[in-house]
Amino acid sequence: MKVSLREWALSDAPALAKLINNKKVQDNLRDGLPFPYGEADAKVFISEMLASDPDQNIAFAIEAEGELIGSISASRCGNIHYRTAELGYYLGEPYWGKGYATEAVCQLCDYVFQRTDILRIFAEPFAYNKASCRVLEKSGFQLEGVLRSNAVKNGRILDMKLYSRIREN
Ligand SMILES: CC(C)(COP(=O)(O)OP(=O)(O)OC[C@H]1O[C@@H](n2cnc3c(N)ncnc32)[C@H](O)[C@@H]1OP(=O)(O)O)[C@@H](O)C(=O)NCCC(=O)NCCS
């Protein structure tokens, strides 16, 4: 296994800041992250992850090659959706194209379905984000539809795709 998921540590802040202080990464995520993104921002994020309820926010650092390479989480939704969770992930650019994200998504899904009562994990990549759509397809997610004109990012109106993976047993 090339990839491992582990708890965040405050000492990850410098490496995390390097991974995410990159427009090419941030352009594929929702808005709200600072840019430039520095170590202080990373410390805030990591502190939030460490303080969050692990049954509500299942968040891990992704490690490979002996280094921090990215971030992954499944966030439980509320109200009648309380047994669904939204998946999010990113890797630093030097680590793209090596199969790491697919391994991380598969490991997170196994963890969520084994350790929580969540029934459904979903993700909403931008439709143009072929690499992310492929990661989901390789990780056993099904395409449920295209969410037309569902976001405005960097001034562009974008479609998103809705993928989900359902608990099997
Ligand atoms: C999306 C992201 C997580 C992919 O990580 P990764 O480790 O490179 O993904 P993997 O190597 O596991 O798989 C990528 C797949 O997409 C394919 N792919 C990559 N770019 C592609 C493109 N432009 N068109 C079609 N397929 C593409 C790869 O060939 C591979 O599929 P294959 O194994 O069938 O050949 C990474 O690029 C990233 O962090 N991007 C920025 C943030 C982001 O987009 N996060 C997801 C938000 S929904």
Side-chain angles (χ1 to χ4, degrees), residues 87 105 109 113 120-125 132-146 161-168:
L87 174 66
V105 169
C109 290
F113 289 137
R120 166 188 166 88
I121 303 172
F122 68 96
E124 296 181 357
S132 189
C133 293
R134 185 78 191 113
V135 165
L136 294 165
E137 285 157 9
K138 287 194 293 176
S139 305
F141 282 68
Q142 277 184 29
L143 177 63
E144 295 184 328
V146 177
K161 287 189 174 173
L162 175 59
Y163 283 90
S164 77
R165 184 169 152 179
I166 305 294
R167 174 185 289 276
E168 271 164 16

Side-chain angles (χ1 to χ4, degrees), residues 6 19 24 32 77 97 106 123 142 162:
R6 63 156 174 82
L19 300 178
K24 285 198 214 166
C77 299
C106 288
Q142 277 184 29
L162 175 59

Side-chain angles (χ1 to χ4, degrees), residues 22-168:
N22 179 344
K23 277 282 285 168
K24 285 198 214 166
V25 173
Q26 290 209 10
D27 281 350
N28 289 294
L29 305 177
R30 293 204 168 116
D31 286 344
L33 294 173
F35 191 82
Y37 190 106
E39 272 185 49
D41 301 310
K43 278 196 178 134
V44 170
F45 168 79
I46 294 167
S47 303
E48 284 171 4
M49 293 304 103
L50 293 172
S52 66
D53 177 345
D55 191 53
Q56 297 293 319
N57 183 37
I58 300 129
F60 292 109
I62 310 173
E63 204 172 86
E65 305 175 22
E67 290 173 0
L68 177 73
I69 67 159
S71 168
I72 189 163
S73 67
S75 303
R76 197 189 274 272
C77 299
N79 205 288
I80 56 171
H81 306 296
Y82 72 98
R83 289 184 73 185
T84 76
E86 181 169 14
L87 174 66
Y89 48 85
Y90 61 82
L91 303 185
E93 194 178 357
Y95 307 103
W96 295 358
K98 299 179 176 186
Y100 290 159
T102 304
E103 270 197 40
V105 169
C106 288
Q107 286 185 35
L108 187 79
C109 290
D110 288 349
Y111 182 97
V112 166
F113 289 137
Q114 282 165 20
R115 310 280 192 95
T116 78
D117 65 352
I118 287 168
L119 299 168
R120 166 188 166 88
I121 303 172
F122 68 96
E124 296 181 357
F126 295 127
Y128 74 77
N129 190 347
K130 298 239 166 25
S132 189
C133 293
R134 185 78 191 113
V135 165
L136 294 165
E137 285 157 9
K138 287 194 293 176
S139 305
F141 282 68
Q142 277 184 29
L143 177 63
E144 295 184 328
V146 177
L147 308 171
R148 295 174 300 163
S149 298
N150 192 44
V152 181
K153 177 80 184 182
N154 296 331
R156 287 170 65 205
I157 299 168
L158 295 175
D159 293 348
M160 296 173 87
K161 287 189 174 173
L162 175 59
Y163 283 90
S164 77
R165 184 169 152 179
I166 305 294
R167 174 185 289 276
E168 271 164 16

